[in-house]
Amino acid sequence: MVYAADSSERFVLMYAHLDGYAPDLRDGSALARGQVIGYVGSTGNAVASAPHLHFAIARSADVRRWSKGQPIDPLPILQATAQPASIR
């Protein structure tokens, strides 16, 4: 599982059920858009025959306490960031 804070440190991003991590991924390192962080798998409490990525976003006053964050629907955020800057 990978947990990452956004640049504002108001949101925690979670990537779960990874089969492995990218070789250059290090604890505490900054992530960049498009960077490979891991590989889709079926680890944890997942059916072995159905590899997938569990992605979640939570709002948190303290990103170090990710488990206390308030889950939010990531779809509106992903849709807004997928649009060209001229449309936003």
Side-chain angles (χ1 to χ4, degrees), residues 2-32:
V2 172
Y3 291 97
D6 76 321
S7 59
S8 72
E9 293 200 355
R10 293 181 302 157
F11 299 98
V12 177
L13 306 122
M14 181 195 75
Y15 305 84
H17 302 297
L18 299 174
D19 191 41
Y21 303 111
D24 59 342
L25 188 68
R26 301 287 180 264
D27 190 26
S29 61
L31 302 178

Side-chain angles (χ1 to χ4, degrees), residues 2 11 15 32 40 49 62 68 70 81-82 85:
V2 172
F11 299 98
Y15 305 84
V40 173
S49 62
D62 182 358
K68 302 296 182 188
Q70 176 65 40
T81 59

Side-chain angles (χ1 to χ4, degrees), residues 51-67:
H52 65 283
L53 172 67
H54 178 155
F55 174 72
I57 299 177
R59 183 183 300 271
S60 180
D62 182 358
V63 295
R64 294 167 299 202
R65 299 185 67 195
W66 56 265
S67 63

